[in-house]
Amino acid sequence: MTGEARPLRADAQRNRARVLEAAEVVLARDGLSASMRTIAQHAGVGLGTIYRHFPTQEALYQAVIIDRMQRLIAEADALLAADDPGAAFFEYFTRIVENATQKKTLADVLAEADIDPKAGMADISRDMRDVIEKLLIRAQKAGAVRQDLHMPELLALLAATCMAAERNQWSDELRTRTLSILFDGLRSHH
């Protein structure tokens, strides 16, 4: 037997996905008081199933963050095929900011538990940067986004916007208005 993990059976994959989904909901609702038993009940699986996939609560929380990031990356991959590269770029920026607002509770829970939300995230972060850069290049080639916008500025704007939305729990209306103004500055003005 090599050190490689065997792929999970289909039912095990479904159980793992249900556990991650349940954990995200229960953690957002209950914070650190969320028990593995409550998460198992919410997922409709036994406690043993959770511990087979996630030996500790920290491992489960980490997996929730990674799963959320992988879903965001998958959304970006899908947007790379969109007919309108400009709309795809701005839609993805919006999704990331929406996600930051929703993620705040989870980030607070992880911080309280002394879990670094960025641990084990190097590959995910690289994948996220890569896909954002592809969306940016497509939007620039289509003339939808200004040519002098480069990744360092884009990532700074994205991080600042996410941080503000997360810390201040922006309403949908405030997020829409703020992004509209920001996007005006990012658009190509021929």
Side-chain angles (χ1 to χ4, degrees):
M1 174 94 183
T2 63
E4 293 176 34
R6 288 191 336 246
L8 294 174
R9 294 184 331 256
D11 61 330
Q13 282 178 332
R14 276 192 304 276
N15 283 343
R16 185 178 192 282
R18 288 206 325 251
V19 168
L20 288 172
E21 197 177 298
E24 197 167 340
V25 170
V26 172
L27 284 169
R29 186 189 68 207
D30 300 349
L32 278 182
S33 66
S35 71
M36 295 289 257
R37 184 172 307 285
T38 305
I39 293 167
Q41 287 168 341
H42 196 278
V45 300
L47 203 50
T49 299
I50 289 189
Y51 283 110
R52 259 193 306 285
H53 292 285
F54 311 103
T56 64
Q57 248 177 325
E58 289 77 14
L60 175 58
Y61 297 168
Q62 213 56 64
V64 167
I65 295 273
I66 289 171
D67 180 61
R68 179 176 276 211
M69 296 300 289
Q70 286 171 331
R71 287 194 317 250
L72 272 174
I73 291 167
E75 282 181 47
D77 279 334
L79 285 170
L80 284 171
D83 291 337
D84 183 341
F89 172 81
F90 291 116
E91 181 180 331
Y92 194 62
F93 195 118
T94 302
R95 276 294 299 127
I96 291 175
V97 175
E98 286 170 354
N99 184 67
T101 310
Q102 296 160 356
K103 191 180 81 184
K104 181 186 181 346
T105 311
L106 194 56
D108 288 349
V109 167
L110 293 173
E112 278 179 53
D114 272 341
I115 298 168
D116 178 4
K118 292 182 174 49
M121 293 287 283
D123 289 347
I124 298 273
S125 295
R126 188 191 60 240
D127 291 348
M128 179 67 89
R129 277 192 310 275
D130 289 350
V131 80
I132 289 171
E133 188 169 26
K134 287 176 188 167
L135 286 167
L136 172 62
I137 291 167
R138 279 187 80 228
Q140 287 173 325
K141 282 182 179 168
V145 172
R146 48 193 296 166
Q147 295 298 314
D148 60 349
L149 177 63
H150 302 288
M151 281 300 286
E153 296 87 2
L154 175 57
L155 293 176
L157 288 168
L158 199 48
T161 308
C162 285
M163 198 175 294
E166 182 181 323
R167 291 241 166 89
N168 301 308
Q169 287 296 287
W170 286 357
S171 67
D172 291 347
E173 296 79 29
L174 179 58
R175 183 181 61 239
T176 300
R177 288 192 315 270
T178 303
L179 289 177
S180 174
I181 293 166
L182 177 63
F183 292 168
D184 272 354
L186 298 179
R187 282 195 179 86
S188 199
H189 298 285
H190 302 290

